[in-house]
Amino acid sequence: MVSAIDAIRLRAAESPATTLRGLAGLLLPWALAAYIAYILLWYLPFKFYPDSYLFQVLEDWVGLSWFEPYFRYFTGCVEGVTCLLLFVPGLQVAGAAVAFATMGTAIFLHLASPLGVDPYHDGGVLFREACTNLVFAAAILVIRRHEILPLLQRLATDPRFAAFLRANT
């Protein structure tokens, strides 16, 4: 009987490039997910502190008095759920998709609003981290692209999801 380690060694000896690519395909998405989650969790407490400068600038720009607290809370909840999804094996693609959408929205708001790319005058660290998270989420989606359609099919055929849609329409 051949152990898993022996099988990996045998495969690596036969075709090292294929083995390296396979291992990278397995480990790289988890490393990228860890970085995305680290950044999102680092900034998560600030989504629940009162009176955020960033969200206040956005509220003034949008002109809606409720925007600052509720959009900040919503963003924090979405980012927290994203961190969880990134580490559930069958849902990492969903987490990457939500991270991609969230970071895309953040980048758009920085570029389209008075925030700009350097709202804290620190060299644009927050904006660079959002761009990095966007690229890493896209990389996870590309690496795991074969998982996207099956996940959508499972979701579309799940009777609980259909009942949820009927209840909310």
Side-chain angles (χ1 to χ4, degrees):
M1 175 118 169
V2 177
S3 71
I5 299 293
D6 291 334
I8 290 172
R9 286 183 186 153
L10 181 62
R11 192 177 319 155
E14 292 172 0
S15 59
T18 305
T19 304
L20 183 61
R21 195 171 37 242
L23 284 174
L26 286 174
L27 299 177
L28 185 59
W30 295 105
L32 297 174
Y35 179 82
I36 293 169
Y38 170 76
I39 295 300
L40 293 179
L41 290 172
W42 178 264
Y43 289 106
L44 190 62
F46 300 108
K47 302 297 190 300
F48 298 102
Y49 287 161
D51 303 324
S52 167
Y53 167 72
L54 290 177
F55 288 93
Q56 188 61 53
V57 170
L58 291 174
E59 178 182 294
D60 295 342
W61 179 62
V62 173
L64 301 172
S65 61
W66 54 266
F67 191 84
E68 193 282 320
Y70 297 114
F71 188 67
R72 179 168 42 88
Y73 297 149
F74 174 76
T75 303
C77 291
V78 167
E79 289 179 1
V81 169
T82 300
C83 291
L84 292 174
L85 289 174
L86 284 168
F87 293 102
V88 176
L91 298 175
Q92 189 177 54
V93 168
V98 175
F100 185 85
T102 305
M103 293 301 105
T105 303
I107 290 167
F108 170 77
L109 288 174
H110 275 271
L111 294 175
S113 76
L115 281 176
V117 296
D118 194 9
Y120 291 119
H121 309 293
D122 60 356
V125 172
L126 184 67
F127 185 77
R128 277 197 317 266
E129 288 170 344
C131 292
T132 303
N133 274 358
L134 181 79
V135 170
F136 284 7
I140 292 171
L141 290 170
V142 168
I143 293 168
R144 297 201 182 274
R145 64 187 173 275
H146 62 280
E147 297 177 19
I148 296 171
L149 191 56
L151 177 63
L152 292 174
Q153 288 172 336
R154 273 196 330 263
L155 186 62
T157 59
D158 189 341
R160 294 171 295 185
F161 185 68
F164 172 77
L165 288 179
R166 278 194 302 276
N168 290 312
T169 55

